[in-house]
Amino acid sequence: PLVVTIDNLDRCLPENAIHTLEAIRLFLFLPNTAFIIAADEEMIRDAVAQYFKGTSNRHQIDYLDKLIQIPIRVPKAGVREITSYLYMLFAIDLKLESQKLELLRSALEESLQQSWTEDPLTISDALKVIEEPDDSQLATAFSLADRIAPILATSPIIHGNPRIVKRLLNVIKMRTKIANRRKMP
C-alpha cells in the first residue's frame, strides 16, 4: 500500500492548494493507495472559492466532500488538555530532568485517558509523581497553569490552540525577562 500524507495544505497559496488537490484526484482511485490531508477545512473552502471564482457555497462544499471520503475533525483542546500541555511546557522550561519529565508525561496522558471516569490530576498528584516538593518553582508554575488553562481553552481568540498557547507563553516569558532586567515587578 501507498500512503501519502500532506500536511499544512491550508498554508499554501489558494492556487497551489487546488493544484495539489487536483493532482490527488488523479490518483484517488488507484488500488492500495490512500491520501491523508491535514488542513483547516475553512481555509481550503476559501481557496476553492478564490480559485473557482463565482462558485456557490454548495460548489465549495461539494468540491471537498467529493474528494475527502473520510473526514476526521480534530476536536479543540479543553481545559484538561491545555492544563496538561502547560504542565509539560513549564516542566521543560524549568529544566526538569528527562526521567521525571517522562514520568510526568505518562501521568498526564493517563489522566487524560481516564478523564471520563476520574478527576483531573491535581498539582499535588503531579508533584508526587515526579518527587518534587510542594513549595518548588514547579509547584508555582503548575498553580499558574491551573489558573490560566480555563481562559486559554475557552477564549474565542485562542480556542485552545496549542500553537497560540505556546506563542503567548513565549511572549510572557520574554516580557518577564525584560521586566526582570529593568528591575520591574
Side-chain angles (χ1 to χ4, degrees):
L2 172 66
V3 178
V4 179
T5 304
I6 301 167
D7 194 8
N8 294 324
L9 186 63
D10 53 327
R11 292 190 182 167
C12 294
L13 293 171
E15 185 176 332
N16 292 340
I18 299 304
H19 287 167
T20 302
L21 291 171
E22 290 296 318
I24 291 169
R25 184 190 305 271
L26 295 173
F27 299 101
L28 206 54
F29 298 105
L30 288 176
N32 296 320
T33 305
F35 291 86
I36 300 170
I37 302 169
D40 181 287
E41 190 173 350
E42 191 175 318
M43 295 285 286
I44 298 301
R45 287 195 199 290
D46 287 346
V48 172
Q50 286 181 38
Y51 189 82
F52 299 106
K53 292 182 184 357
T55 57
S56 68
N57 269 354
R58 186 73 238 159
H59 180 266
Q60 295 164 28
I61 292 168
D62 286 349
Y63 183 87
L64 277 184
D65 286 351
K66 289 176 182 174
L67 191 65
I68 308 299
Q69 295 165 358
I70 303 172
I72 299 171
R73 290 174 178 84
V74 178
K76 292 177 183 157
V79 174
R80 282 184 172 193
E81 290 85 5
I82 294 297
T83 302
S84 295
Y85 181 59
L86 290 172
Y87 277 26
M88 289 301 296
L89 288 177
F90 284 131
I92 291 166
D93 189 50
L94 291 170
K95 312 234 183 304
L96 190 67
E97 62 186 70
S98 59
Q99 253 181 324
K100 288 184 174 186
L101 204 55
E102 182 54 31
L103 287 171
L104 177 63
R105 188 202 59 75
S106 291
L108 290 168
E109 187 177 305
E110 186 178 325
S111 176
L112 288 172
Q113 289 170 349
Q114 302 300 322
S115 66
W116 308 108
T117 59
E118 293 179 9
D119 289 333
L121 196 70
T122 65
I123 295 171
S124 287
D125 295 336
L127 292 170
K128 271 185 206 153
V129 166
I130 56 176
E131 298 176 350
E132 287 287 316
D134 286 342
D135 61 348
S136 67
Q137 217 179 352
L138 198 54
T140 304
F142 287 176
S143 177
L144 176 61
D146 278 357
R147 290 192 314 272
I148 65 174
I151 297 166
L152 298 174
T154 59
S155 162
I157 296 170
I158 298 171
H159 290 295
N161 182 320
R163 240 182 241 134
I164 297 173
V165 169
K166 178 97 164 72
R167 205 167 64 215
L168 178 65
L169 289 179
N170 286 341
V171 169
I172 291 169
K173 198 165 38 169
M174 177 191 65
R175 287 184 175 188
T176 301
K177 285 180 181 180
I178 291 169
N180 289 340
R181 283 189 175 186
R182 292 181 176 177
K183 296 181 178 34
M184 296 169 66

